[in-house]
Amino acid sequence: MNLIVNIQKNVRKYGFEMATRQAWKCGIKANLVKRVVGVAKGQIVCVIEGVRPELSTEINNPLHCAEKQGKYVFVGGVVWLPNDLLAPGFPDFMFMHVRNLGPKHKYMTDDELFLNLA
């Protein structure tokens, strides 16, 4: 399962990786997520594969604060950023646009994700 997150508001404050990992209000579906995809202005700018969800605390989230209490942060995994373009294993779908994405985060299977790429 993929979690597609809109990070355009927090990119300047936290950078691509931390804005993508940051505390998201997810339900039980968070335990199914294996990849988090950060999208800014409709374009994929960060992919983190092999993550695991944990409730945000001071220990696992360096940016934890009271408003992030009860939200999930995605830890671990392999991070792919735009500067990793020449690295082996770089995702083929990086820099593509995602259709049907609203202001909130969205869960998608791999098939749904690839159908919504433009």
Side-chain angles (χ1 to χ4, degrees), residues 43-104:
Q43 185 177 22
I44 296 174
V45 293
C46 182
V47 177
I48 307 173
E49 296 178 328
V51 296
R52 74 176 186 279
E54 293 181 1
L55 285 173
S56 182
T57 65
E58 293 87 5
I59 296 168
N60 63 11
N61 185 0
L63 303 173
H64 181 78
C65 60
E67 68 186 34
K68 294 184 169 117
Q69 193 68 34
K71 295 182 179 181
Y72 284 91
V73 64
F74 293 90
V75 298
V78 178
V79 180
W80 299 104
L81 297 170
N83 292 342
D84 301 327
L85 182 63
L86 300 176
F90 190 76
D92 295 339
F93 54 90
M94 183 71 102
F95 305 119
M96 295 185 88
H97 285 19
V98 180
R99 294 185 300 250
N100 301 325
L101 184 64
K104 295 193 173 216

Side-chain angles (χ1 to χ4, degrees), residues 4-10 24 39 100-106:
I4 316 301
V5 296
N6 229 335
I7 61 170
Q8 58 197 32
K9 292 180 183 177
N10 294 322
W24 299 100
V39 177
N100 301 325
L101 184 64
K104 295 193 173 216
H105 61 274
K106 194 172 198 175

Side-chain angles (χ1 to χ4, degrees), residues 25-44:
K25 190 171 186 170
C26 301
I28 194 77
K29 265 188 166 179
N31 294 313
L32 302 174
V33 173
K34 299 296 178 214
R35 179 188 298 142
V36 182
V37 178
V39 177
K41 297 183 181 176
Q43 185 177 22
I44 296 174

